[in-house]
Amino acid sequence: YRSRRAAAPLLGHVFAQYGIPLATGYAPALVHTPLGRGLLGAARCALWGEGEARAADLLAYLRTPGRLDTPEIADGLDANLRRLGLRTAAQAREQLGWELPELDELARAADPARVLCRLARWLFAAPHRGAAPALSDAEALDGRALSALVSAVEELDQLQLTPGGADLVELLAQLTVPAAAPGDATDAVLLAEPLEVRARRFRAVFVCGLQEGEFPRPATPEPFLSDERRFELAAAGGLRLRAREDALPAERYLFYSALSRATERVFLAYRSSDEEGNLALPSPFIADVAELLADEWRSRRRRRLLADVVWDPERAPTMRERARAAADRGAAPGGEPPVARRVLGAQALSRMRHTEILSAGALEAYANCPVRWLIERELQPDELLPEAEPLARGSLMHDLLERLLGELDGPVTPDSLASAQAILDRLLAELASDGGAALGVGSPEVVRAGALRAIEADLRRYLAHEARNAGEWRPLGLELRFGFEGQEGSLPALELGEGAEKVRVRGVVDRVDADGAGHAVVRDYKSGARRPAWSAARWREDRQLQVALYMLVVRDLTESEPVAGFYQPLRGDDLRARGVFIKGTPVGRGVVATDARAGEELDEMLADAAQRAVALAGALRAGELEPCPQNCSREGCKYPAICRSQ
């Protein structure tokens, strides 16, 4: 390679994967070793101010090999910090709740470099106490890192220098670790630059990275007297100075040196595109060599395309790669595995969380993607990040509306709009004094304040829309719960089907409005982008169930008759409700007129929703994981690889 520094890290990783010894002669930075990374984190936590050291620095120290008997403690702390949005080392230490006397000693030390050396020796020995192991390559690298640190501190002592604080941290970041001894040259592949092999011979030489701008390298401008100035001097006064910026002859000599070192075979490697598929130009030296080759040399090249994620079985370098190549060869065209009906096994079915009673949301999630239902509703893995901003915003808007309408105790009309906005002002002021609750966890205060102002604008716009269009329907139930046995105020579960197919459903209805004549309107708040599936004409096609099931709850578990069910957007430029309502029902002007249906049609839609819910519940209880109806094509799908796998 023309530059070993650029190539060594990647080649070291790849050759290690394939079990091929590689002598790189590369001196990595101290902070790129496991021990050095942990020492740098410890130094930052102890020697920088609490506001400067990051939580990642403390985690790097805790993850130093041997520091923790149970490394999962650092993983748990990392997950907790991410969920809470904490970023500083001081916050991380508070969450950890441990005393770390070695960091406190380092912070108080008059000569922190000496204390850091003691800490480095302790960390290096910690995994091997009471044993005399043969060090692995990674452990030997840490040994060289320790040696480099001790040597540097001794040199500082000889110069009578005692760096502290930021100076010591900067020195650590600049230290390099001596390269490993190359050993027997016949036992390893040698990675070298052209200048290093001019007097040596090899059976085979691979000249890699033959790209324009890499080999040959572009010329470096002369910092004191450029070639342009030299030409001007020659033209003006006759003083002729040799041009310094024409690097091509020197680069051609290095290329010739590399080619002529082989006794049997020479391989030239270049790429025709980068990893993004953009065109990459080969080195002009390729054209020089091509003049010596047969005319059909291009068709006889060995090539590997960006799409070739596995090797050809005949050329696979390891047994594992050969197995991957064989599996790829047996796959269906296009790389997709054959679609098969999948069913959870008996052991998995015995551990399902919800079988006796199902939520309306779970049924709809299962209808949309069984794999997503399995992961999010049954396995329920812990998230490593704070709650997503759209979810946090939606929960907050739901909560604010519930409290506002509860205090208003009546519909939002032109007469009550001022009172509703005054209540909203007070609720938002309380929320702002609490720091915005869970909104924008870990974000700067100005960002959280901006998000709160956006929610305020959306809710004011929605209240004005409702005052103009909603009519005189009074809120009958806010956050109406059903199926939560033992909880005060909860209605019984909704029961659908009969006999062995009987299913009990529970959930929470955002809002139910009544007109005083026994009629009710169901509303399900939506704070995200408007979706075509909210329209009643798309409910069956797009597997929408929740609003229909909520209407069945109102019909079967209350004394009201549902005459409308809507998905109600809370933000955007079009706040009209979408769903279904009986023609002629005075539900206000803030709805989409095409959602009107005859009473018989509404009854058929509700009956169809009940049948679909029963069928889905049966498939869910049986653990049937049919291929995703979305074919993992919907934007934002989280689990395409799992959904398509066997």
Side-chain angles (χ1 to χ4, degrees), residues 375-388:
I375 295 173
E376 295 183 355
R377 301 283 178 156
E378 294 296 324
L379 300 180
Q380 294 186 331
D382 291 334
E383 294 284 349
L384 293 181
L385 294 173
E387 185 179 24

Side-chain angles (χ1 to χ4, degrees), residues 181-251:
D184 187 353
T186 61
D187 291 335
V189 175
L190 175 65
L191 173 63
E193 295 182 0
L195 274 174
E196 301 173 15
V197 297
R198 288 176 299 171
R200 303 178 66 178
R201 287 288 183 179
F202 307 92
R203 289 178 55 204
V205 171
F206 295 79
V207 186
C208 303
L210 285 170
Q211 302 299 137
E212 185 174 303
E214 295 181 24
F215 195 1
R217 280 182 178 174
T220 303
E222 170 64 42
F224 300 109
L225 197 60
S226 67
D227 282 358
E228 182 181 358
R229 294 300 184 192
R230 292 168 187 255
F231 297 147
E232 290 177 359
L233 282 173
L239 177 61
R240 296 183 179 276
L241 300 177
R242 183 170 58 89
R244 300 291 301 273
E245 297 177 15
D246 185 8
L248 190 58
E251 294 292 307

Side-chain angles (χ1 to χ4, degrees), residues 262-299:
T263 61
E264 295 183 12
R265 305 192 73 177
V266 176
F267 296 83
L268 305 183
Y270 64 97
R271 60 183 181 273
S272 58
S273 64
D274 61 15
E275 293 182 357
E276 303 295 330
N278 300 313
L279 179 66
L281 297 178
S283 167
F285 294 157
I286 296 290
D288 294 344
V289 175
E291 295 181 2
L292 307 175
L293 304 179
D295 293 338
E296 67 275 11
W297 73 273
R298 288 187 178 276
S299 63

Side-chain angles (χ1 to χ4, degrees), residues 601-631:
E601 289 183 89
L602 177 59
D603 291 339
E604 291 176 0
M605 290 180 63
L606 296 184
D608 176 70
Q611 292 175 0
R612 286 191 288 134
V614 171
L616 285 170
L620 184 153
R621 288 169 174 168
E624 296 179 4
L625 300 182
E626 298 291 347
C628 174
Q630 309 277 358
N631 292 322

Side-chain angles (χ1 to χ4, degrees), residues 458-471:
D458 288 334
L459 289 179
R460 288 189 184 282
R461 191 182 304 111
Y462 171 69
L463 291 175
H465 167 83
E466 186 166 341
R468 290 193 304 268
N469 301 299

